[in-house]
Amino acid sequence: MALDLNSVEFGTPPPLPAGAELLAVTDALTTNHRGSIEAERRALVEALGPSAAERAIGVCATFQMMNRALDGVGAPVAASLRPLAADLGFDPNSIPR
Amino acid sequence: MFDRAELAPSAERKAAVEQAWTNLTGPGPTLTATTRCSVIRAARAAWAGGSSPDAPLEDHVAHWVAVDAGGLRSDHVELWAAAGLKRITYLEIVGVVSRLANVDFYLRGLGAPVPEIPPLPSGSPTGDVHQDARITDGWVPALANLRAPNVLDAMPSEGVAFRGLHEPMYMPMDQIDNWRFADVLSRPQIEFIAARVSFLNECFY
């Protein structure tokens, strides 16, 4: 499985089915804590259907949990993910903890 | 809870969120139900743009876990410990705010209002803390090195509650290494969402 890291880092639509709509819902839900995401949700439902849109929102929501939990407990970057860190251009040892 | 949702939840995720909300607003291993509900209010106020409350300390901590968990450092946790916050209680606050994020962001994503806190939460701490828990490779008591999704297992009931959201929202744990896993989304679609959220939250785990 390959991920387009440019899409992850720079927010360009990934080369996936409904990539632009997935990106828009993910960004809106993660960065806009107060406003409505109605437009982004509606576009995702139109692109993927209601079941897949609901599923995508669930993934987005659970990583809000995972991120806060892992950062909150001071979990180090797992050894298995160090090659990915290198691909993303950072050294896990340099992260202030 | 979902009556006004613009997008219907799956039966599995609906049940998981309802169970999570009942758990979050009840007593926890070291916190009363009243304090857990205060932590929930503090986290929601933080997401609404409020400034950090100076007191009580539990609410102050909840604010920062809610809005800037990636900016937390061991120095913060040590400072809070010096002010009287036990590490295990800090871990419980992290668990409450994290699971609340899953519940509230999911509901908001579906276009549903977040649930209201019970007017008179009641219940004393359960004391459900594993006696073998100790500091391992992070800042909090644990049973082993901290790995997702076992970070709350120093408090067994909280660990179960964490996985009770994680699996229905992400994927069954026995499928984690199956890179061809797919349901209504493909694994690349799932992992793109996960990676983008983590990037935006500056979570490099």
Side-chain angles (χ1 to χ4, degrees):
Chain A
M1 190 190 80
L3 268 187
D4 179 1
L5 296 181
N6 282 322
S7 299
V8 173
E9 186 171 0
F10 299 113
T12 54
L16 297 167
E21 290 82 2
L22 287 170
L23 173 70
V25 161
T26 301
D27 282 14
L29 200 51
T30 306
T31 62
N32 173 8
H33 294 161
R34 286 174 256 184
S36 167
I37 69 155
E38 183 179 354
E40 291 86 354
R41 178 176 53 246
R42 189 164 294 172
L44 184 60
V45 169
E46 287 178 10
L48 285 178
S51 294
E54 182 269 343
R55 175 79 168 95
I57 288 166
V59 175
C60 185
T62 207
F63 274 82
Q64 309 297 342
M65 174 178 76
M66 294 299 292
N67 289 171
R68 286 169 177 81
L70 290 162
D71 279 336
V73 301
V77 174
S80 62
L81 296 176
R82 286 177 178 265
L84 178 59
D87 286 347
L88 287 168
F90 74 94
D91 174 5
N93 293 323
S94 69
I95 300 172
R97 301 304 287 174
Chain B
M1 188 183 290
F2 292 93
D3 291 348
R4 290 157 57 194
E6 294 173 21
L7 189 59
S10 76
E12 184 183 25
R13 284 182 279 281
K14 177 176 182 284
V17 166
E18 290 172 342
Q19 177 62 46
W21 182 245
T22 299
N23 174 284
L24 285 167
T25 54
T30 73
L31 297 174
T32 64
T34 300
T35 303
R36 279 164 72 105
C37 287
S38 182
V39 161
I40 289 170
R41 281 190 203 92
R44 284 179 170 172
W47 288 321
S51 55
S52 171
D54 292 333
L57 183 55
E58 290 88 348
D59 291 6
H60 175 76
V61 171
H63 175 97
W64 289 111
V65 174
V67 296
D68 192 18
L72 293 174
R73 304 287 178 262
S74 59
D75 289 352
H76 297 117
V77 182
E78 287 171 14
L79 191 67
W80 294 330
L85 187 68
K86 292 179 179 175
R87 298 277 177 143
I88 194 72
T89 300
Y90 169 75
L91 176 61
E92 184 173 343
I93 295 169
V94 169
V96 168
V97 175
S98 300
R99 281 178 286 140
L100 177 70
N102 196 146
V103 167
D104 279 10
F105 282 64
Y106 179 67
L107 286 162
R108 204 167 65 80
L110 299 187
V114 298
E116 292 184 10
I117 295 168
L120 294 170
S122 62
S124 301
T126 63
D128 180 32
V129 176
H130 204 295
Q131 294 306 308
D132 295 334
R134 58 188 170 79
I135 304 290
T136 56
D137 59 347
W139 306 331
V140 296
L143 300 182
N145 283 346
L146 292 163
R147 298 291 176 266
N150 300 318
V151 292
L152 299 183
D153 281 0
M155 301 170 291
S157 56
E158 297 287 277
V160 169
F162 192 86
R163 287 184 289 280
L165 278 170
H166 180 64
E167 289 207 40
M169 295 276 174
Y170 181 38
M171 67 174 65
M173 289 307 294
D174 63 5
Q175 295 295 313
I176 289 291
D177 293 327
N178 175 10
W179 295 102
R180 296 184 183 278
F181 174 84
D183 45 34
V184 292
L185 292 181
S186 67
R187 186 74 190 261
Q189 287 174 309
I190 292 169
E191 295 305 324
F192 170 74
I193 296 166
R196 180 67 179 164
V197 170
S198 301
F199 177 81
L200 292 172
N201 284 333
E202 298 182 338
C203 178
F204 298 106
Y205 175 82

